[in-house]
C-alpha cells in the first residue's frame, strides 16, 4: 500500500511544497525539512533527457534528511521517462511525478508540461511506462485545461486515461494554462482559479487521491481545501515565507503544538552550509532560499539584507547565517506562523 493509499483510506491529509523550477533544489528542500518533519517535498522539474545524458549526480543526489521527497520529471517520450525512472531508482526518491502543468516556452518546445493536456493518450503512455519500472508511487501534476479546452471535459478525460494507466495520485493546479500569450508568471496569476472543479473531481472519484494546488496563501486556506480534497500543495507562499511550514506538523500531522526552535534550525543550517562550502559550494546557493523566512517580523529587513549582500561575497561562510538570525526578534516569530 502506497503512502497515498494510506492517506486516502485513513483520511489523514498530505501537505506538500510544490515543485518550482529554479527554487526547490536540494538546498531549499533541506532547509524546508528543518522546519517541517512531515511535509512532502518536491524537486524542481528535471527533464528526462538531462537525467539520461547529463550530470546525474548533480541532478539527482539529495540529503537523506529530505525524505519524504518526490522527483518531478518532464518529458513526453515513454521510453525516455522509463529510463529516467530506472536511473533515478538507486537515489531513493519516495515518489515520481510527471509534470503536465508547466506552461513555459522552454517546456513547450520540448513538447511536455502543460501542452500534454492536449494529448492525454501520450500522458497515459508515459505513466504506464514509468509504472512498469518504478517501485514507488507514480503521480501526475496537471492543470484543469489549456487554451480553449473546456475543463469540465478536458480534466476528466485526462484523469480517466492516466488512472487507467496506473497513476497513484493526481495533483491539480486549479487554473487553466494559456500556452500562447501569457508568461509563466502570468499563467500563475491571470487565469482564474477554479477550486470547485477540483472539489467536483474528488467527489466523482472518491477512491482516488486528489490534491489541490494554486493560489493558496495560508494554512487556514489549506485546512478549508482539505474539507474537499485529500492533499494540499503550497508553492510560493511556502517558499517566500518558509515560517509558515513551522505549524504544518501540528495542524496536519498530529504533532504536539510547540514553538519552532529557530536557534536549532539556525545551527543545522550553519552546519549544512559549512559542509557545502567545504566541498566547493558557495554560501549563496544555500542562503538564497532562506531570505524570506521571517517576513513581517521585527528585524526581518536586516535579516534579508545580511543574507542577500553578505552571502554572495567571496569566502562567505556560515557566520553570515548566524549574523542574519541575530538581527531577528524571535519573540514575534510564532505570531507569523500560519498568519
Amino acid at each position: 500500500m502506497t503512502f497515498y493509499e494510506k492517506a486516502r483510506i485513513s483520511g489523514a491529509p498530505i501537505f506538500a511544497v510544490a515543485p518550482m523550477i529554479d527554487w526547490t533544489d536540494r538546498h531549499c528542500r533541506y532547509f524546508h525539512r528543518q522546519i517541517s518533519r512531515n511535509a512532502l517535498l518536491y524537486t524542481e522539474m528535471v527533464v528526462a533527457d538531462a537525467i539520461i545524458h547529463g550530470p546525474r549526480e548533480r541532478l539527482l543526489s539529495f540529503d537523506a534528511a529530505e525524505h519524504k521527497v518526490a522527483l518531478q520529471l518532464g518529458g513526453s517520450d515513454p521510453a525516455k521517462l522509463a529510463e529516467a525512472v530506472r536511473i533515478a531508482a538507486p537515489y531513493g526518491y519516495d515518489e515520481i511525478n510527471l509534470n503536465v502543468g508547466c506552461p513555459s516556452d522552454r517546456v513547450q518546445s520540448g513538447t511536455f508540461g502543460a501542452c500534454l493536456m492536449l494529448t492525454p493518450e501520450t500522458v497515459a503512455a508515459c505513466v504506464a511506462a514509468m509504472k512498469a519500472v518504478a517501485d514507488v508511487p507514480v503521480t501526475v501534476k496537471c492543470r484543469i485545461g489549456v487554451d480553449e479546452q473546456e475543463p469540465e471535459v478536458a480534466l476528466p478525460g485526462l484523469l480517466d486515461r492516466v488512472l487507467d494507466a496506473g497513476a497513484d495520485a493526481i495533483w491539480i493546479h486549479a487554473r487553466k494554462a494559456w500556452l500562447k500569450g501569457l508568461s509563466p508568471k502570468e499563467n500563475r496569476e491571470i487565469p482564474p482559479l477554479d477550486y470547485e472543479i477540483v472539489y467536483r473531481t474528488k467527489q466523482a472519484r472518491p477512491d482516488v487521491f486528489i490534491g489541490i494546488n494554486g493560489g493558496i496563501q495560508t494554512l487556514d486556506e489549506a485546512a478549508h481545501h482539505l474539507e474537499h480534497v485529500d492533499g494540499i500543495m503550497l508553492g510560493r507562499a511556502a517558499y517566500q515565507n518558509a515560517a509558515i511550514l513551522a505549524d504544518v506538523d501540528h495542524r496536519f500531522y498530529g504533532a504536539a503544538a510547540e514553538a519552532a526552535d529557530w536557534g536549532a534550525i539556525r545551527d543545522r543550517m550553519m552546519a549544512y552550509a559549512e559542509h557545502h562550502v567545504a566541498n566547493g559550494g558557495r554560501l549563496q546557493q544555500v542562503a538564497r532560499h532562506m531570505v524570506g523566512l521571517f517576513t513581517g517580523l521585527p528585524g526581518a529587513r536586516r535579516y534579508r539584507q545580511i543574507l542577500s549582500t553578505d552571502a554572495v561575497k567571496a569566502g562567505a561562510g556560515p557566520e553570515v547565517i548566524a549574523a542574519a538570525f541575530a538581527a531577528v526578534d524571535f519573540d514575534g516569530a510564532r505570531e507569523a506562523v500560519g498568519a
Side-chain angles (χ1 to χ4, degrees):
M1 182 180 293
T2 70
F3 66 87
Y4 278 109
E5 291 173 310
K6 291 177 182 177
R8 183 181 56 77
I9 292 171
S10 69
I14 290 178
F15 181 101
V17 178
M20 291 175 280
I21 294 175
D22 298 327
W23 288 13
T24 51
D25 63 17
R26 60 182 301 180
H27 308 306
C28 173
R29 299 191 306 269
Y30 185 89
F31 170 52
H32 285 171
R33 180 59 71 222
Q34 306 317 303
I35 306 173
S36 169
R37 299 182 184 91
N38 295 291
L40 173 60
L41 305 179
Y42 279 79
T43 70
E44 306 170 85
M45 183 188 68
V46 185
V47 178
D49 273 327
I51 292 175
I52 295 169
H53 303 293
R56 298 172 183 177
E57 187 67 18
R58 181 174 65 81
L59 292 171
L60 295 173
S61 63
F62 62 94
D63 193 288
E66 294 173 38
H67 289 292
K68 195 176 274 119
V69 59
L71 170 65
Q72 187 183 66
L73 293 178
S76 58
D77 183 313
K80 289 181 178 180
L81 284 163
E83 179 63 13
V85 171
R86 280 192 289 264
I87 292 169
Y91 290 86
Y93 286 95
D94 300 289
E95 171 192 338
I96 306 294
N97 177 267
L98 180 62
N99 184 318
V100 189
C102 181
S104 74
D105 290 341
R106 61 177 172 172
V107 168
Q108 291 182 54
S109 66
T111 321
F112 50 91
C115 63
L116 284 175
M117 296 284 302
L118 298 169
T119 56
E121 66 281 358
T122 299
V123 183
C126 292
V127 169
M130 295 161 69
K131 283 287 293 183
V133 298
D135 57 4
V136 295
V138 172
T139 67
V140 171
K141 186 172 186 289
C142 64
R143 294 284 184 128
I144 62 174
V146 297
D147 296 342
E148 301 300 334
Q149 281 186 325
E150 173 50 58
E152 297 286 357
V153 176
L155 183 60
L158 175 70
L159 267 56
D160 285 345
R161 287 180 177 267
V162 300
L163 293 170
D164 285 346
D168 293 287
I170 308 294
W171 289 96
I172 304 172
H173 185 149
R175 283 188 176 97
K176 290 179 75 172
W178 290 92
L179 302 178
K180 302 296 181 184
L182 293 182
S183 69
K185 181 179 186 296
E186 290 170 331
N187 261 302
R188 294 191 298 268
E189 300 170 351
I190 293 177
L193 287 158
D194 187 353
Y195 296 132
E196 294 295 331
I197 192 173
V198 184
Y199 299 166
R200 292 194 296 274
T201 298
K202 174 58 189 177
Q203 291 171 351
R205 292 172 169 80
D207 296 330
V208 176
F209 182 100
I210 302 289
I212 197 168
N213 170 231
I216 303 164
Q217 298 297 315
T218 69
L219 298 191
D220 286 342
E221 292 177 24
H224 169 74
H225 288 299
L226 286 170
E227 296 174 5
H228 305 278
V229 294
D230 303 303
I232 185 77
M233 181 179 279
L234 263 67
R236 280 150 183 80
Y239 186 93
Q240 292 168 346
N241 182 15
I244 196 173
L245 299 176
D247 210 31
V248 164
D249 295 347
H250 167 58
R251 292 197 63 169
F252 303 117
Y253 291 94
E258 56 185 11
D261 188 342
W262 298 114
I265 291 171
R266 174 202 61 209
D267 293 345
R268 291 195 294 270
M269 292 309 300
M270 288 177 65
Y272 178 84
E274 183 175 25
H275 181 266
H276 178 63
V277 171
N279 283 275
R282 292 177 288 113
L283 179 65
Q284 191 268 344
Q285 293 170 319
V286 176
R288 72 185 184 95
H289 301 295
M290 303 171 63
V291 171
L293 179 58
F294 297 117
T295 298
L297 294 184
R301 181 177 180 183
R302 180 61 183 147
Y303 169 88
R304 291 192 299 271
Q305 288 174 337
I306 293 170
L307 287 185
S308 298
T309 59
D310 293 354
V312 301
K313 294 178 180 177
E319 69 280 355
V320 173
I321 296 175
F325 271 69
V328 181
D329 173 12
F330 287 103
D331 290 337
R334 185 65 181 174
E335 299 174 8
V337 175

